[in-house]
């Protein structure tokens, strides 16, 4: 009722009560908005992205779009929300609506065109925040401490300062066997070989540890280890996701990551190439492959889905992943509304969305050099085969056209005695000194020739509508060898032929046809405009024959009878007289439909000089019938070439990349995150709480945005990066919430160290190997992980870092270590995903069957990094040991401890196979007595010698197993089919059981 009352007031309000002129914005409109709207839309508050503090803010509007349509109050969102509400709550929300007079002023101002509406521009949003993560990276001084002898790198000074303040002492350095195992697992994801352990343990040089670090950092396995961490963040998988989860080809991106890390590509360039490699100047193939980072999004292949919906979902994922990986912020929370905790508006989310909305998603072919060669060959072969079909069709069409136009042809031939009318040339001259002698048959002999010559022949068109000219090269007894050319072998070259009127107007010759042409001298070359090419007639002992070439004019030439014409025959070939020795010229006005027939098809009738219409029609049909089988063979040639080319193309590796979209998309805020509800239009921009874009950049593309991420003024990217690296070496980051540096995240345990490392990363030009070396050579990294009683009480989670952390290996590393210990690891690098053994029947749980052709050769023993990763059917070992599902960026894996893990290590067929291999390795490579073999097994699995107690326990276990497997049939069941000459089935079975125990120990799947 109140709303109806207010609207009624507007309708009946006397016009005299309102100002005749438009209301003044500053004195009459803005005060109302400030008074009634600013509580939610002013003073730093921007509900729905709307501020009412200035005309510029009003002009920009909120997330739902422009606020005012000047001159149209009924279409203006500002007026709708204070009167009707519509699909949003009516404003204000306090049930105290605007008065009738205020509504009338607002309506009058809008209908008057909202004066001043375009006068004030909206400035870029700049937000101030006191939160530590948004502050510039500090430049802390490395502290001076009393335990200076423990400071191996500046990192130690920061850690020891905090420990001193807490009254805690650091732990001593771990023993050398522990250090080499720790380093090898951290840097390579593999355990060290026993010989390497012994060499390091016995190396007394003062820089032995540093040399070990450098050797491991230089290993190609380094890229595989750290590539696994990055692929988690990149949500890498070999399939598309959702329920159909079709296969995709993107493994070249995975190999690019490994190679880039091995090359120590600076992290800023590493990231920029992945975000915008296609926008770099003259991008290389590798830089295009790198853009696969943001092609790792899911693709929904189900029928009936809206492609645009899932394209938008992919772009949303790109924004969210970028925010998580490089900024450590929960940007995704702003997809549907302004972030509840961090200074990120919904508008800003879609400004970032616009950065990634301007992309196409093509595939990139990566052929080998041999495939490229074959592609070229087969493409040319296919093109030639298609041209042959097209040429055939032209001939057939021409023949059919002749048959269809017989009436016209008959009418023409009734008026002409011959097809070709021999021309009595009126003038025959040469540009050089060559002379000519006329003969009775209107042909001309050449006398005293030059080496190069151009014949100039003048004549009068003998018929109306001249359609063609024939040049005959004739033999003669006076020519050496009888000709027709003046060379001893009778050949000549006709390099270029042109026709013009007497006043010099050119008349184009469109087609040339000859009764014979040598392989490198086609008839068409005589009119191609290139003097270096030519028509020639070399044919061995058949060269000394009369030859002819015919030239055809444009149908629109319309040359009337009596027109004076000039024909030029240009002949140039090195220094010999490759000239025509005798020639004659004829003309015709025959219809094009006839002239388009090949010369050799027309020649019998033209030579006969008489025509039988019935015979002519029959012969045309005969020619067509001869062509039909020929076309089938030509079509077959096309099919063969096409099939061969497709076969080569099918073998070519392809990878998914990003490309800039040629036609930019328009981006809107999506109301409540619904891609169908478009709000305000937005353009690409960055977060207002961080540093601005460089001067001159208003709406960044992906490359400009990527460079903005790595601007030294950005406090988040370096902090987030060093924190993630720290996390891998110590189990937790200096900021525990590594994916949330916002206000709801954890504060850093050592803020000065975090900033010093961030600055050092930039000073080291983003070289990750330098950062890794800095950390692993520190005392804090080299500490023992023994848990002292006082640390259990004071620092149970090791946030103060008075010791090193014991960390369970990741899923892939557990399998790699087992393969490595067993001597099975196949160290090939790169290539398509492989299929190691897994339990059967897993495909029963997927909507579409996922093929798993278990490798029979060495590829079944590849590193876990190369295992084919179906999103809907992940290799079961990986999720058992907490690997992520590759549906979103994972920046820290959880670590659980479940019975299923123990059961997998003990009973999974793949681990039983590895235990069998470990047993065989111990029996073949180890000493010939059991205690020595046990010590060898300990070195293979744990990089150390067993204690006396461990040796005693396992010796007793081994003896019991030998007794239990005295039955040979049962022994073969456990030991496998391959028996060793030096071991009985009972021995091998007992050692397989022992290997299974060792692989089940907590120490085996833990860094130390």
């Amino acid at each position: 009722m109140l709303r109806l009352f207010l609207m009624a007031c507007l309708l009946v309000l006397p016009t005299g009560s309102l100002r005749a002129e438009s209301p003044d914005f500053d004195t009459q409109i803005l005060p109302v908005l400030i008074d009634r709207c600013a509580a939610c839309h002013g003073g730093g508050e921007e509900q729905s992205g709307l501020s009412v503090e200035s005309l510029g803010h009003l002009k920009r509007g909120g997330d739902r779009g422009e606020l005012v349509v000047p001159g149209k109050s009924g279409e203006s969102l500002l007026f709708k929300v204070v009167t009707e509400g519509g699909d949003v709550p009516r404003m204000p929300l306090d049930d105290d609506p605007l008065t009738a007079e205020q509504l009338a002023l607002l309506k009058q101002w809008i209908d008057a065109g909202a004066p001043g509406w375009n006068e004030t521009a909206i400035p870029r949003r700049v937000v101030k925040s006191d939160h530590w993560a948004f502050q510039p990276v500090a430049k802390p001084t490395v502290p001076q401490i009393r335990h200076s002898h423990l400071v191996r790198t500046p990192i130690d000074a920061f850690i020891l300062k905090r420990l001193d303040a807490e009254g805690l002492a650091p732990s001593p350095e771990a023993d050398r066997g522990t250090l080499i195992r720790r380093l090898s697992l951290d840097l390579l994801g593999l355990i060290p070989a026993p010989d390497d352990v012994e060499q390091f343990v016995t190396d007394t040089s003062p820089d032995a540890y540093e040399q070990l670090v450098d050797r491991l950092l230089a290993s190609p396995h380094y890229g595989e280890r750290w590539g696994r961490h990055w692929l988690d963040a990149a949500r890498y998988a070999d399939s598309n996701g959702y329920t159909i989860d079709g296969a995709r080809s993107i493994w070249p991106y995975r190999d690019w990551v490994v190679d880039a890390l091995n090359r120590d590509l600076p992290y800023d360039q590493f990231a920029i190439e992945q975000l915008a490699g296609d926008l770099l100047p003259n991008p290389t193939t590798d830089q295009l492959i790198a853009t696969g980072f943001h092609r790792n999004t899911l693709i929904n292949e189900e029928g009936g889905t809206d492609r645009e919906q899932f394209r938008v979902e992919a772009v949303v994922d790109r924004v969210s992943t970028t925010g998580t990986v490089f900024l450590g912020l929960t940007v995704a929370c702003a997809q549907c509304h302004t972030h509840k905790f961090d200074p990120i508006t919904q508008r800003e989310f879609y400004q970032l969305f616009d950065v990634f909305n301007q992309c196409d998603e093509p595939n990139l072919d990566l052929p080998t050099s041999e495939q490229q060669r074959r592609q070229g060959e087969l493409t040319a072969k296919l093109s030639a085969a298609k041209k042959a079909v097209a040429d055939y069709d032209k001939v057939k069409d021409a023949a059919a056209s002749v048959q269809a136009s017989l009436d016209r042809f008959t009418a023409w031939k009734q008026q002409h005695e011959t097809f070709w009318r021999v021309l009595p040339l009126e003038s025959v001259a040469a540009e050089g000194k060559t002379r000519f002698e006329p003969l009775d048959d209107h042909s001309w002999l050449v006398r005293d020739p030059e080496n190069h010559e151009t014949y100039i022949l003048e004549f009068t068109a003998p018929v109306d509508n001249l359609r063609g000219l024939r040049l005959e090269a004739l033999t003669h007894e006076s020519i050496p060898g009888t000709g027709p050319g003046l060379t001893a072998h009778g050949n000549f070259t006709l390099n270029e032929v042109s026709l013009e009127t007497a006043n010099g107007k050119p008349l184009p010759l469109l087609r040339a046809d000859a009764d014979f042409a040598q392989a490198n001298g086609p008839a068409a070359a005589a009119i191609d405009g290139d003097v270096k090419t030519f028509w020639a007639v070399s044919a061995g002992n058949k060269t000394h024959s009369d030859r002819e070439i015919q030239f055809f004019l444009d149908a629109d030439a319309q040359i009337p009878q009596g027109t004076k014409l000039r024909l030029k025959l240009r002949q140039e070939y090195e220094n010999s007289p490759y000239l025509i020795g005798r020639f004659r010229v004829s003309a015709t006005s025959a219809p094009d439909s006839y002239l388009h027939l090949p010369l050799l098809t027309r020649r019998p009738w033209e030579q006969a000089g008489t025509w039988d219409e019935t015979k002519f029609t029959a012969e045309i049909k005969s020619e067509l019938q001869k062509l039909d089988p020929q076309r089938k063979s030509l079509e077959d040639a096309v099919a063969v070439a096409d099939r061969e080319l497709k076969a080569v193309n099918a073998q070519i590796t392809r990878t998914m990349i990003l490309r800039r979209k040629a036609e930019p998309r328009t981006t809107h805020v999506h109301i409540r995150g619904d891609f169908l509800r478009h709000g305000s239009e937005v353009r690409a921009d960055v977060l207002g709480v961080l540093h601005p874009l460089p001067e001159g950049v208003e709406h960044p593309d992906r490359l400009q945005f990527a460079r903005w991420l790595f601007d030294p003024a950005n406090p988040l990217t370096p902090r987030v990066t060093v924190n993630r690296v720290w996390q891998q070496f110590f189990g937790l980051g200096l900021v525990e919430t590594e994916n949330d540096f916002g206000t709801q995240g954890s504060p850093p345990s050592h803020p000065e160290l975090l900033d010093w490392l961030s600055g050092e990363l930039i000073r080291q030009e983003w070289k990750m190997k330098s950062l890794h070396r800095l950390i692993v050579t520190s005392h804090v990294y080299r500490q023992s992980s023994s848990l002292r009683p006082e640390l259990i009480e004071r620092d149970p989670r090791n946030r103060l870092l008075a010791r090193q952390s014991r960390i369970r290996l990741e899923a892939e590393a557990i399998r790699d270590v087992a393969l490595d210990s067993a001597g099975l690891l196949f160290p090939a690098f790169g290539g398509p995903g492989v299929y190691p053994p897994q339990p059967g029947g897993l495909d029963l749980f997927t909507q579409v069957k996922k093929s798993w052709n278990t490798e029979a050769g060495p590829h079944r023993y590849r590193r876990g990094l190369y295992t084919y990763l179906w999103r809907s059917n992940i290799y079961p070992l990986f999720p058992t040991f907490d690997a992520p599902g590759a549906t979103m960026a994972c920046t820290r894996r959880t670590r659980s401890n479940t019975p299923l893990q123990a059961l997998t290590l003990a009973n999974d067929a793949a681990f039983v196979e590895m235990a069998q291999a470990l047993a065989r390795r111990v029996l073949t490579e180890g000493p010939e007595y059991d205690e020595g073999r046990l010590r060898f097994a300990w070195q293979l699995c744990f990089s150390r010698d067993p204690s006396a107690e461990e040796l005693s326990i396992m010796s007793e276990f081994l003896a019991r197993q030998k007794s239990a497997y005295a039955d040979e049939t049962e022994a073969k069941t456990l030991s496998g089919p391959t028996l060793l000459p030096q071991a009985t089935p009972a021995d091998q079975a007992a050692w397989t059981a022992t290997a299974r125990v060792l692989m089940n120990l907590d120490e085996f799947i833990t860094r130390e």
Side-chain angles (χ1 to χ4, degrees), residues 913-932:
E913 182 180 4
M914 295 177 210
Q916 291 168 342
L918 177 58
R920 288 193 292 272
R921 184 179 184 187
V922 169
L923 289 169
T924 55
E925 298 180 23
E928 296 184 358
Y929 59 101
D930 286 345
E931 181 179 329

PDB file of all heavy atoms in Angstrom, residues 913-932:
ATOM      1  N   GLU A 913      55.455 -57.513  -6.757  1.00  0.00           N
ATOM      2  CA  GLU A 913      56.436 -57.657  -7.831  1.00  0.00           C
ATOM      3  C   GLU A 913      57.744 -56.935  -7.472  1.00  0.00           C
ATOM      4  O   GLU A 913      58.833 -57.438  -7.719  1.00  0.00           O
ATOM      5  CB  GLU A 913      55.861 -57.081  -9.126  1.00  0.00           C
ATOM      6  CG  GLU A 913      56.790 -57.223 -10.320  1.00  0.00           C
ATOM      7  CD  GLU A 913      56.195 -56.637 -11.588  1.00  0.00           C
ATOM      8  OE1 GLU A 913      55.094 -56.044 -11.529  1.00  0.00           O
ATOM      9  OE2 GLU A 913      56.842 -56.769 -12.641  1.00  0.00           O
ATOM     10  N   MET A 914      57.619 -55.764  -6.857  1.00  0.00           N
ATOM     11  CA  MET A 914      58.822 -55.022  -6.455  1.00  0.00           C
ATOM     12  C   MET A 914      59.563 -55.754  -5.336  1.00  0.00           C
ATOM     13  O   MET A 914      60.802 -55.770  -5.306  1.00  0.00           O
ATOM     14  CB  MET A 914      58.440 -53.606  -6.003  1.00  0.00           C
ATOM     15  CG  MET A 914      57.867 -52.731  -7.099  1.00  0.00           C
ATOM     16  SD  MET A 914      57.383 -51.119  -6.435  1.00  0.00           S
ATOM     17  CE  MET A 914      56.040 -50.689  -7.527  1.00  0.00           C
ATOM     18  N   ALA A 915      58.810 -56.348  -4.410  1.00  0.00           N
ATOM     19  CA  ALA A 915      59.454 -57.114  -3.339  1.00  0.00           C
ATOM     20  C   ALA A 915      60.194 -58.319  -3.904  1.00  0.00           C
ATOM     21  O   ALA A 915      61.310 -58.648  -3.469  1.00  0.00           O
ATOM     22  CB  ALA A 915      58.408 -57.550  -2.315  1.00  0.00           C
ATOM     23  N   GLN A 916      59.592 -58.979  -4.894  1.00  0.00           N
ATOM     24  CA  GLN A 916      60.272 -60.100  -5.538  1.00  0.00           C
ATOM     25  C   GLN A 916      61.568 -59.641  -6.205  1.00  0.00           C
ATOM     26  O   GLN A 916      62.608 -60.304  -6.118  1.00  0.00           O
ATOM     27  CB  GLN A 916      59.345 -60.739  -6.578  1.00  0.00           C
ATOM     28  CG  GLN A 916      58.146 -61.461  -5.979  1.00  0.00           C
ATOM     29  CD  GLN A 916      57.108 -61.825  -7.029  1.00  0.00           C
ATOM     30  OE1 GLN A 916      57.109 -61.273  -8.129  1.00  0.00           O
ATOM     31  NE2 GLN A 916      56.215 -62.743  -6.677  1.00  0.00           N
ATOM     32  N   ALA A 917      61.511 -58.486  -6.853  1.00  0.00           N
ATOM     33  CA  ALA A 917      62.707 -57.955  -7.514  1.00  0.00           C
ATOM     34  C   ALA A 917      63.768 -57.562  -6.497  1.00  0.00           C
ATOM     35  O   ALA A 917      64.964 -57.761  -6.715  1.00  0.00           O
ATOM     36  CB  ALA A 917      62.332 -56.761  -8.385  1.00  0.00           C
ATOM     37  N   LEU A 918      63.355 -56.983  -5.373  1.00  0.00           N
ATOM     38  CA  LEU A 918      64.304 -56.624  -4.322  1.00  0.00           C
ATOM     39  C   LEU A 918      64.982 -57.879  -3.786  1.00  0.00           C
ATOM     40  O   LEU A 918      66.203 -57.903  -3.545  1.00  0.00           O
ATOM     41  CB  LEU A 918      63.598 -55.858  -3.203  1.00  0.00           C
ATOM     42  CG  LEU A 918      64.455 -55.483  -1.986  1.00  0.00           C
ATOM     43  CD1 LEU A 918      65.652 -54.632  -2.391  1.00  0.00           C
ATOM     44  CD2 LEU A 918      63.608 -54.756  -0.932  1.00  0.00           C
ATOM     45  N   ALA A 919      64.197 -58.938  -3.601  1.00  0.00           N
ATOM     46  CA  ALA A 919      64.774 -60.198  -3.126  1.00  0.00           C
ATOM     47  C   ALA A 919      65.803 -60.725  -4.123  1.00  0.00           C
ATOM     48  O   ALA A 919      66.904 -61.159  -3.732  1.00  0.00           O
ATOM     49  CB  ALA A 919      63.663 -61.225  -2.910  1.00  0.00           C
ATOM     50  N   ARG A 920      65.477 -60.713  -5.397  1.00  0.00           N
ATOM     51  CA  ARG A 920      66.429 -61.190  -6.402  1.00  0.00           C
ATOM     52  C   ARG A 920      67.689 -60.329  -6.414  1.00  0.00           C
ATOM     53  O   ARG A 920      68.801 -60.831  -6.585  1.00  0.00           O
ATOM     54  CB  ARG A 920      65.772 -61.193  -7.786  1.00  0.00           C
ATOM     55  CG  ARG A 920      64.730 -62.282  -7.974  1.00  0.00           C
ATOM     56  CD  ARG A 920      64.350 -62.456  -9.429  1.00  0.00           C
ATOM     57  NE  ARG A 920      63.630 -61.302  -9.941  1.00  0.00           N
ATOM     58  CZ  ARG A 920      62.305 -61.143  -9.864  1.00  0.00           C
ATOM     59  NH1 ARG A 920      61.569 -62.096  -9.278  1.00  0.00           N
ATOM     60  NH2 ARG A 920      61.719 -60.082 -10.363  1.00  0.00           N
ATOM     61  N   ARG A 921      67.503 -59.007  -6.227  1.00  0.00           N
ATOM     62  CA  ARG A 921      68.669 -58.117  -6.230  1.00  0.00           C
ATOM     63  C   ARG A 921      69.581 -58.425  -5.042  1.00  0.00           C
ATOM     64  O   ARG A 921      70.817 -58.456  -5.168  1.00  0.00           O
ATOM     65  CB  ARG A 921      68.204 -56.660  -6.182  1.00  0.00           C
ATOM     66  CG  ARG A 921      69.359 -55.668  -6.291  1.00  0.00           C
ATOM     67  CD  ARG A 921      68.888 -54.230  -6.263  1.00  0.00           C
ATOM     68  NE  ARG A 921      69.999 -53.325  -6.471  1.00  0.00           N
ATOM     69  CZ  ARG A 921      69.932 -52.004  -6.368  1.00  0.00           C
ATOM     70  NH1 ARG A 921      68.770 -51.424  -6.062  1.00  0.00           N
ATOM     71  NH2 ARG A 921      71.003 -51.260  -6.572  1.00  0.00           N
ATOM     72  N   VAL A 922      68.990 -58.657  -3.892  1.00  0.00           N
ATOM     73  CA  VAL A 922      69.784 -58.970  -2.692  1.00  0.00           C
ATOM     74  C   VAL A 922      70.543 -60.279  -2.900  1.00  0.00           C
ATOM     75  O   VAL A 922      71.718 -60.399  -2.537  1.00  0.00           O
ATOM     76  CB  VAL A 922      68.872 -59.040  -1.452  1.00  0.00           C
ATOM     77  CG1 VAL A 922      69.623 -59.630  -0.264  1.00  0.00           C
ATOM     78  CG2 VAL A 922      68.345 -57.651  -1.107  1.00  0.00           C
ATOM     79  N   LEU A 923      69.854 -61.261  -3.491  1.00  0.00           N
ATOM     80  CA  LEU A 923      70.476 -62.572  -3.668  1.00  0.00           C
ATOM     81  C   LEU A 923      71.546 -62.571  -4.753  1.00  0.00           C
ATOM     82  O   LEU A 923      72.480 -63.380  -4.710  1.00  0.00           O
ATOM     83  CB  LEU A 923      69.402 -63.606  -4.003  1.00  0.00           C
ATOM     84  CG  LEU A 923      68.462 -63.976  -2.839  1.00  0.00           C
ATOM     85  CD1 LEU A 923      67.280 -64.783  -3.334  1.00  0.00           C
ATOM     86  CD2 LEU A 923      69.216 -64.742  -1.761  1.00  0.00           C
ATOM     87  N   THR A 924      71.434 -61.680  -5.723  1.00  0.00           N
ATOM     88  CA  THR A 924      72.408 -61.673  -6.824  1.00  0.00           C
ATOM     89  C   THR A 924      73.536 -60.675  -6.609  1.00  0.00           C
ATOM     90  O   THR A 924      74.676 -60.914  -7.014  1.00  0.00           O
ATOM     91  CB  THR A 924      71.712 -61.355  -8.158  1.00  0.00           C
ATOM     92  OG1 THR A 924      70.995 -60.131  -8.039  1.00  0.00           O
ATOM     93  CG2 THR A 924      70.761 -62.471  -8.543  1.00  0.00           C
ATOM     94  N   GLU A 925      73.247 -59.535  -5.982  1.00  0.00           N
ATOM     95  CA  GLU A 925      74.254 -58.488  -5.832  1.00  0.00           C
ATOM     96  C   GLU A 925      74.870 -58.445  -4.436  1.00  0.00           C
ATOM     97  O   GLU A 925      75.952 -57.881  -4.250  1.00  0.00           O
ATOM     98  CB  GLU A 925      73.636 -57.117  -6.147  1.00  0.00           C
ATOM     99  CG  GLU A 925      73.117 -56.976  -7.566  1.00  0.00           C
ATOM    100  CD  GLU A 925      72.513 -55.601  -7.816  1.00  0.00           C
ATOM    101  OE1 GLU A 925      72.874 -54.648  -7.096  1.00  0.00           O
ATOM    102  OE2 GLU A 925      71.663 -55.483  -8.733  1.00  0.00           O
ATOM    103  N   GLY A 926      74.160 -58.998  -3.468  1.00  0.00           N
ATOM    104  CA  GLY A 926      74.658 -58.938  -2.101  1.00  0.00           C
ATOM    105  C   GLY A 926      75.668 -60.036  -1.800  1.00  0.00           C
ATOM    106  O   GLY A 926      75.962 -60.886  -2.654  1.00  0.00           O
ATOM    107  N   PRO A 927      76.204 -60.020  -0.581  1.00  0.00           N
ATOM    108  CA  PRO A 927      77.132 -61.081  -0.156  1.00  0.00           C
ATOM    109  C   PRO A 927      76.444 -62.445  -0.188  1.00  0.00           C
ATOM    110  O   PRO A 927      75.230 -62.549  -0.365  1.00  0.00           O
ATOM    111  CB  PRO A 927      77.508 -60.663   1.270  1.00  0.00           C
ATOM    112  CG  PRO A 927      77.203 -59.204   1.345  1.00  0.00           C
ATOM    113  CD  PRO A 927      76.014 -58.991   0.469  1.00  0.00           C
ATOM    114  N   GLU A 928      77.228 -63.481   0.011  1.00  0.00           N
ATOM    115  CA  GLU A 928      76.680 -64.850  -0.089  1.00  0.00           C
ATOM    116  C   GLU A 928      76.280 -65.409   1.261  1.00  0.00           C
ATOM    117  O   GLU A 928      76.117 -66.627   1.399  1.00  0.00           O
ATOM    118  CB  GLU A 928      77.704 -65.762  -0.770  1.00  0.00           C
ATOM    119  CG  GLU A 928      77.977 -65.363  -2.210  1.00  0.00           C
ATOM    120  CD  GLU A 928      78.926 -66.331  -2.906  1.00  0.00           C
ATOM    121  OE1 GLU A 928      79.381 -67.283  -2.228  1.00  0.00           O
ATOM    122  OE2 GLU A 928      79.202 -66.138  -4.107  1.00  0.00           O
ATOM    123  N   TYR A 929      76.142 -64.552   2.272  1.00  0.00           N
ATOM    124  CA  TYR A 929      75.675 -65.031   3.577  1.00  0.00           C
ATOM    125  C   TYR A 929      74.559 -64.083   4.032  1.00  0.00           C
ATOM    126  O   TYR A 929      74.490 -62.920   3.650  1.00  0.00           O
ATOM    127  CB  TYR A 929      76.809 -65.082   4.594  1.00  0.00           C
ATOM    128  CG  TYR A 929      77.501 -63.755   4.843  1.00  0.00           C
ATOM    129  CD1 TYR A 929      77.192 -62.990   5.975  1.00  0.00           C
ATOM    130  CD2 TYR A 929      78.459 -63.266   3.944  1.00  0.00           C
ATOM    131  CE1 TYR A 929      77.820 -61.775   6.191  1.00  0.00           C
ATOM    132  CE2 TYR A 929      79.089 -62.063   4.167  1.00  0.00           C
ATOM    133  CZ  TYR A 929      78.769 -61.317   5.290  1.00  0.00           C
ATOM    134  OH  TYR A 929      79.377 -60.097   5.515  1.00  0.00           O
ATOM    135  N   ASP A 930      73.643 -64.605   4.855  1.00  0.00           N
ATOM    136  CA  ASP A 930      72.401 -63.899   5.170  1.00  0.00           C
ATOM    137  C   ASP A 930      72.622 -62.581   5.900  1.00  0.00           C
ATOM    138  O   ASP A 930      71.936 -61.585   5.621  1.00  0.00           O
ATOM    139  CB  ASP A 930      71.474 -64.804   5.988  1.00  0.00           C
ATOM    140  CG  ASP A 930      70.846 -65.884   5.133  1.00  0.00           C
ATOM    141  OD1 ASP A 930      70.915 -65.747   3.880  1.00  0.00           O
ATOM    142  OD2 ASP A 930      70.284 -66.847   5.677  1.00  0.00           O
ATOM    143  N   GLU A 931      73.530 -62.523   6.866  1.00  0.00           N
ATOM    144  CA  GLU A 931      73.726 -61.262   7.586  1.00  0.00           C
ATOM    145  C   GLU A 931      74.206 -60.175   6.622  1.00  0.00           C
ATOM    146  O   GLU A 931      73.745 -59.032   6.661  1.00  0.00           O
ATOM    147  CB  GLU A 931      74.748 -61.443   8.714  1.00  0.00           C
ATOM    148  CG  GLU A 931      74.965 -60.150   9.498  1.00  0.00           C
ATOM    149  CD  GLU A 931      75.952 -60.300  10.637  1.00  0.00           C
ATOM    150  OE1 GLU A 931      76.034 -61.404  11.218  1.00  0.00           O
ATOM    151  OE2 GLU A 931      76.632 -59.299  10.951  1.00  0.00           O
ATOM    152  N   GLY A 932      75.129 -60.552   5.744  1.00  0.00           N
ATOM    153  CA  GLY A 932      75.602 -59.574   4.755  1.00  0.00           C
ATOM    154  C   GLY A 932      74.486 -59.137   3.813  1.00  0.00           C
ATOM    155  O   GLY A 932      74.397 -57.968   3.414  1.00  0.00           O
TER     156      GLY A 932
END
